Amino acid sequence: ASSQTIVPPLAPRTEALAASEPRRAASEPQRAAVATEAEGLRLHLSSSNSTGYRGVYEDSGRFQAQHWVDGRNAYLGIFGSAVEAAVAYARAEGSV
């Protein structure tokens, strides 16, 4: 039995998310704001994380999202951009 919680895949990407592909340009914070508004979520920013988002980690040029539920690490998936991973994290945090 695995200790990881599996979260269903994300809905089709919005235009705002598709516009923010893996390269982190100076305008990514603006894209994140657009994505947040489009998804109706609040992204969890982090000044101590190199990706800029809580629960999002870079892994070989892709971005992994994970969070803790009842003392266990819940793997949320691998994404093409930090914003997509941050949206997955925000969705998971909102459902706890």
Side-chain angles (χ1 to χ4, degrees), residues 46-92:
S46 171
S47 61
S48 63
N49 187 325
S50 65
T51 65
Y53 301 103
R54 188 180 333 153
V56 177
Y57 307 94
E58 189 167 5
D59 182 23
S60 302
R62 307 226 352 132
F63 298 87
Q64 176 179 331
Q66 59 187 14
H67 76 129
W68 289 91
V69 178
D70 298 326
R72 293 184 174 184
N73 188 26
Y75 174 79
L76 302 173
I78 298 284
F79 302 88
S81 73
V83 172
E84 288 177 306
V87 169
Y89 180 88
R91 283 182 175 161

Side-chain angles (χ1 to χ4, degrees), residues 1-5 72:
S2 174
S3 65
Q4 292 185 343
T5 303
R72 293 184 174 184

Side-chain angles (χ1 to χ4, degrees), residues 12-43:
R13 295 175 4 173
T14 63
E15 251 182 74
L17 291 176
S20 60
E21 286 307 313
R23 277 187 241 134
R24 293 187 69 209
S27 64
E28 179 138 346
Q30 292 171 330
R31 290 182 180 143
V34 171
T36 304
E37 184 177 329
E39 296 286 330
L41 298 170
R42 180 183 159 272
L43 299 185

